[in-house]
Every structure is written in C-alpha cells, then in structure tokens.
C-alpha cells in the first residue's frame, strides 16, 4: 500500500489541536496546505523519534523495528504503544520502534546496499509488503525463521496465509503482520443503487466522480479479476494485463475516472468529489467510525485483493537479535494482543482467535466483515501473484504511464 507518512511529532501536534486520539489518517485530514506546513518539521525529525514510554531495561537485549505509520496501537494521551510497552516490561527486551516506512521502494532504497553486502541495515525486523518481500527472498537478503521459537505463530497463523506468498510456502521467511484488503466503495446516500460490478463505475451519473488507487496490484488486480482473470495464478501475462490497462485508460481519457490517488483518496470521499472508488477496507472502517456510516465497501463477487505486510529479519541482523525478534513476533500472535492491535489499525488480522478476543477489546467490531471476513468474503479475496523482475518493471511502468505518474 501507499501510505502517507507522519512523524510522531506531527501526530502529537495534531492531537493537541484536536484534543482527541489521532488515528493513522490524521495528517491526511489536514489537507495539502496543512501537510505542506508541517512537511519541514516531519522531514527534519530524526528517524528514532517515535514516542516511547516505560520500556524494558534492555537487560535481555535490544532490537530495532521498522514499520509503517499508524500500524501499531497507539495512545496519544500517554504517547505510548500499549501492547509494545507491555512486551518490553514482560521480557526486558528494549524495542526501538521506528515509523520509518512510507513506501516499499523508497525504504528498500535506504537499505539495499547493506542488504547486498550482508551488513547490518540498522533494523532487526522490518514490515514490508509481500510483493517486496518476494524480491528480498529471491535475492536471498532475509533470514529464515526458526519455528521452534514461534509456537503461537505455528498455532495461530490463519490457514489462508500459510502459502499465500508463492515464493515462500510455509512462511519460512515472512510472517504476516496485517492484511490490507481492497474492494469497491460508494457513498450510500448519493449512490443508493451501489457499485457491484466494474461496469457500474461507468454509469453516466458517476462521470468524473470515480476514483482508483495508485497501487498497481490493487487497481489492476480488481480490474483483471472482473475480466475473468485469476490474478493469483501464473497462467496470465501481457495480453490479460494489457486488456485491463485498456479499460483503465479508456475510463481516464473519457473523464469517467477522475481521481487517481494513494491514501489521500479518503479526502475526496469526504468532500464528495469521489462517489465510487476502489478502496482499502481499513480506511473505510475508520471513515465510517468517525463520520457516521456514510460509505459502503464490498468485496465484489468477481474478487477483491488482499495482501500481507509481513515481518522479516534482514541479513546483517545477529543470531541473538533474530531470537529476540522471534520472541516479539510470537507475542503478537497471541489472539488477545492481535485484537488490541487491529482495534486500532482496522485491517484484517492474520491471527486465529483474534475475532473472539475482540469481544473484550471492542465488541462493536466483532461482526465487521471488513476486519473479520466471513467464509464467503474470504473466497472473494485474492493475492496478486509474484511478478518476475522483468514483468514488475514493465507492468509498473505501463500502469504509471496510463495514470500519468
């Protein structure tokens, strides 16, 4: 996913202004002018400035975790990450939690030289998206986990994710952290008939009010699924991709599709500049919670997309620290801990039992199919197959050219 980063200092400034807990969409709500105004502050802040509270003493060791912004439960009043602080107290392991990932490619660019040389990257565990993890696996730049240290992962990793990454059967190198999913969203009041097929986006009354995501695998995956392609399989290639790209190009040139956005698409939904779009489930859960259930998001019968942002241990991490990372990961595979995290992030958890545990954490979310897909919805969610390096370069370039990126 493309996420707009926010420095913890900026987040706390917004929290003071709003006087309430800031969620991971806080900076987006400031709009372009607000983002520009705080941009210099965000860029000047040091990488290790994530808020910390009562940490472990470090007597058992110290590790560094690089993650996306707003991807761990955060309490703005105490400026702490509750589940992480609890882990550090329990284990005496100090965790430097850095919200350093704002884009898969740019983050990889920061550490690629160290990875190629097998040197310490400055991170003991990172949380990149599976398509990027596939590159790291093929380049032999991340380490294999020791499942003897991962009893909770062994017991609680949901079945659908065990072999979801085709180049990592059994999740030997990657362990899912959260599962971003995407589908169709529409404004309930202004689009009462809904949007349930790809061609519904082409209705005349929606002209200029349709949006797509800049994330190639979500947008193209949903279009291709609607055109009868199983994007998880290796049987498709240029012809199928080009056919989907032509549909997108036609929609853009005709003006039917007018919004091409990353996470900022939520602003267009709020302003009603976009009435129907391809969207991420977690964002819509958050929007509805904040603004009174104004939008419907459904995974179409033709199929939506799902992927994993997964925890990996880069080459250069010491054997001692790798064991500490495995202890951290196994902690988060306890259902009650996973439920606390997902109550904040609103994305699909990869942990069995998290739904039952959510009954104690936030009962209102227990039956939310966008967080806990039922069996029917789960069948509709597809992983985008791993592309070869040549395909990745070619398809990404073609997609970006059509979108004018």
């Amino acid at each position: 996913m493309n996420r707009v980063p926010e420095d913890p200092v900026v987040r706390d400034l917004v929290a003071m202004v709003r006087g309430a807990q800031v969620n991971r969409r806080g900076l987006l709500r400031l709009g372009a002018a607000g983002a520009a105004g705080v941009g210099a502050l965000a860029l000047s802040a040091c990488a290790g400035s994530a808020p910390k509270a009562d940490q472990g003493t470090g007597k058992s060791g110290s590790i560094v975790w690089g993650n996306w912004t707003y991807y761990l439960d955060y309490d703005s009043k105490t400026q702490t990450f509750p589940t992480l602080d609890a882990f550090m107290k329990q284990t005496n392991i100090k965790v430097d939690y850095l919200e350093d990932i704002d884009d898969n490619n740019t983050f990889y660019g920061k550490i690629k030289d160290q990875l190629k040389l097998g040197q310490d990257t400055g991170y003991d565990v990172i949380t990149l998206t599976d398509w990027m993890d596939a590159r790291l696996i093929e380049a032999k730049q991340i380490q294999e986990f020791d499942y003897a240290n991962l009893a909770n992962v062994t017991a609680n990793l949901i079945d659908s994710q065990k072999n979801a990454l085709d180049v990592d059967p059994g999740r030997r190198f990657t362990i899912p952290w959260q599962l971003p999913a995407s589908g169709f969203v529409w404004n309930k009041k202004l689009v009462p008939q809904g949007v349930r097929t790809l061609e519904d986006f082409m209705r005349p009354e929606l002209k200029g009010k349709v949006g797509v995501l800049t994330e190639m695998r979500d947008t193209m995956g949903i279009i291709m699924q609607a055109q009868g392609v199983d994007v998880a399989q290796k049987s498709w290639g240029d012809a199928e991709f080009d056919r989907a790209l032509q549909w997108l190009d036609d929609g853009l040139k005709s003006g039917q599709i007018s919004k091409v956005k990353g996470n900022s698409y939520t602003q267009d939904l709020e302003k009603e500049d976009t009435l129907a779009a391809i969207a991420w489930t977690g964002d819509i859960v958050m929007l509805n919670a904040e603004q009174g259930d104004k939008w419907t998001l459904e995974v179409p019968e033709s199929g939506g997309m799902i992927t994993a942002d997964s925890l990996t241990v880069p080459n250069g991490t010491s054997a001692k620290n790798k064991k500490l990372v495995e202890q951290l990961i196994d902690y988060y595979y306890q259902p009650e801990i996973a439920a606390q995290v997902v109550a904040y992030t609103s994305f699909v958890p990869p942990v069995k039992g998290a739904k039952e545990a959510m009954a104690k954490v936030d009962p209102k979310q227990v039956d939310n199919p966008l967080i806990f897909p039922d069996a029917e919805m789960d069948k509709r969610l597809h992983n985008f197959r791993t592309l070869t390096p040549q395909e990745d370069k070619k398809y990404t370039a073609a997609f970006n050219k059509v979108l004018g990126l």
Side-chain angles (χ1 to χ4, degrees):
M1 293 174 63
N2 293 326
R3 300 177 182 81
V4 175
E6 179 182 39
D7 185 89
V9 176
V10 176
R11 176 181 52 210
D12 294 337
L13 288 174
V14 179
M16 287 188 287
V17 172
R18 296 181 65 210
Q21 182 173 355
V22 177
N23 61 49
R24 57 192 157 78
R25 296 180 53 253
L27 183 62
L28 295 176
R29 194 174 291 105
L30 292 175
V38 298
L41 176 59
L43 289 172
S44 65
C46 66
S49 60
K52 304 177 181 70
D54 297 327
Q55 297 186 341
T57 64
K59 291 180 180 179
S60 297
S62 179
I63 56 177
V64 180
W65 180 5
N67 204 355
W68 301 85
T69 304
Y70 297 123
Y71 227 21
L72 181 64
D73 52 307
Y74 176 73
D75 186 335
S76 64
K77 293 180 180 179
T78 59
Q79 298 184 29
T80 63
F81 298 101
T83 59
L84 185 60
D85 291 331
F87 170 79
M88 290 190 285
K89 287 181 179 179
Q90 290 174 20
T91 62
N92 281 328
I93 298 171
K94 180 182 178 182
V95 181
D96 286 327
Y97 182 72
L98 307 181
E99 296 179 316
D100 281 1
I101 304 175
D102 63 330
D103 176 85
N104 283 286
N105 284 308
T106 56
F107 184 80
Y108 175 71
K110 289 172 54 177
I111 62 174
K112 63 182 179 65
D113 292 337
Q114 292 93 330
L115 284 173
K116 289 177 181 178
L117 296 172
Q119 296 176 347
D120 183 5
T121 63
Y123 302 89
D124 297 294
V125 56
I126 53 179
T127 319
L128 296 174
T129 308
D130 265 358
W131 62 264
M132 177 60 77
D133 292 328
R135 294 185 189 177
L136 302 184
I137 291 169
E138 291 173 340
K140 299 181 179 180
Q141 293 176 341
I142 53 179
Q143 301 184 43
E144 185 171 355
F145 287 109
D146 182 353
Y147 270 79
N149 301 324
L150 296 165
N152 290 329
V153 177
T154 300
N156 297 330
L157 175 60
I158 60 175
D159 294 339
S160 62
Q161 280 297 313
K162 290 179 179 178
N163 297 298
L165 181 56
D166 48 11
V167 298
D168 188 24
R171 292 289 185 178
R172 295 178 300 133
F173 295 90
T174 61
I175 296 178
W177 170 247
Q178 303 276 283
L179 309 176
S182 56
F184 294 165
V185 66
W186 62 88
N187 185 300
K188 289 184 177 182
K189 180 180 178 180
L190 300 178
V191 191
Q193 66 271 54
V195 176
R196 293 179 172 83
T197 69
L198 196 62
E199 292 312 312
D200 283 346
F201 283 115
M202 298 294 108
R203 294 202 302 259
E205 67 270 23
L206 291 178
K207 186 169 184 176
K209 298 287 187 177
V210 175
V212 296
L213 296 170
T214 55
E215 179 63 36
M216 186 266 284
R217 287 162 177 80
D218 285 284
T219 292
M220 292 300 290
I222 282 180
I223 295 171
M224 291 170 70
Q225 284 288 152
Q227 293 179 338
V229 179
D230 185 347
V231 296
Q233 302 302 314
K234 294 183 178 181
S235 55
W236 65 266
D238 291 357
E240 292 80 5
F241 186 89
D242 290 345
R243 181 160 62 103
L245 194 62
Q246 187 62 58
W247 182 92
L248 179 60
D249 192 32
D250 290 344
L252 288 164
K253 287 179 177 176
S254 69
Q256 187 74 21
I257 301 170
S258 63
K259 300 294 187 295
V260 179
K261 297 289 184 71
N263 260 10
S264 60
Y265 77 93
T266 55
Q267 294 179 39
D268 295 320
L269 289 171
E270 291 176 279
K271 293 184 295 184
E272 298 180 356
D273 291 337
T274 295
L275 300 182
I278 294 172
W280 286 303
T281 56
D283 293 329
I284 306 307
V285 172
M286 189 72 71
L287 274 177
N288 278 331
E290 294 171 349
Q291 301 192 26
D293 200 28
K294 294 182 179 180
W295 296 272
T296 294
L297 188 142
E298 289 186 2
V299 176
E301 288 190 13
S302 57
M305 302 306 299
I306 192 166
T307 189
D309 291 323
S310 294
L311 299 150
T312 63
V313 177
N315 288 352
T317 296
S318 69
K320 175 186 176 182
N321 281 12
K322 177 173 170 288
K323 288 183 179 180
L324 299 181
V325 168
E326 290 165 345
Q327 192 171 343
L328 173 72
I329 295 172
D330 212 47
Y331 165 82
Y332 276 104
Y333 263 75
Q334 298 174 85
E336 60 274 18
I337 303 301
Q340 291 179 58
V341 173
V342 77
Y344 181 83
T345 66
S346 300
F347 285 106
V348 179
V351 181
K352 292 178 183 177
K355 180 176 182 178
E356 291 74 14
M358 183 65 84
K360 295 181 179 179
V361 176
D362 187 356
K364 294 182 293 183
Q365 298 293 359
V366 170
D367 295 319
N368 190 333
L370 300 182
I371 296 177
F372 301 106
D374 56 25
E376 177 60 29
M377 183 179 289
D378 195 50
K379 290 179 182 178
R380 300 180 186 181
L381 293 170
H382 303 266
N383 290 278
F384 200 100
R385 72 166 172 85
T386 299
L387 301 176
T388 66
Q390 295 78 13
E391 287 176 325
D392 195 358
K393 182 178 180 179
K394 177 170 60 177
Y395 294 161
T396 299
F399 178 73
N400 289 342
K401 181 178 180 181
V402 165
L403 266 57
L405 300 177

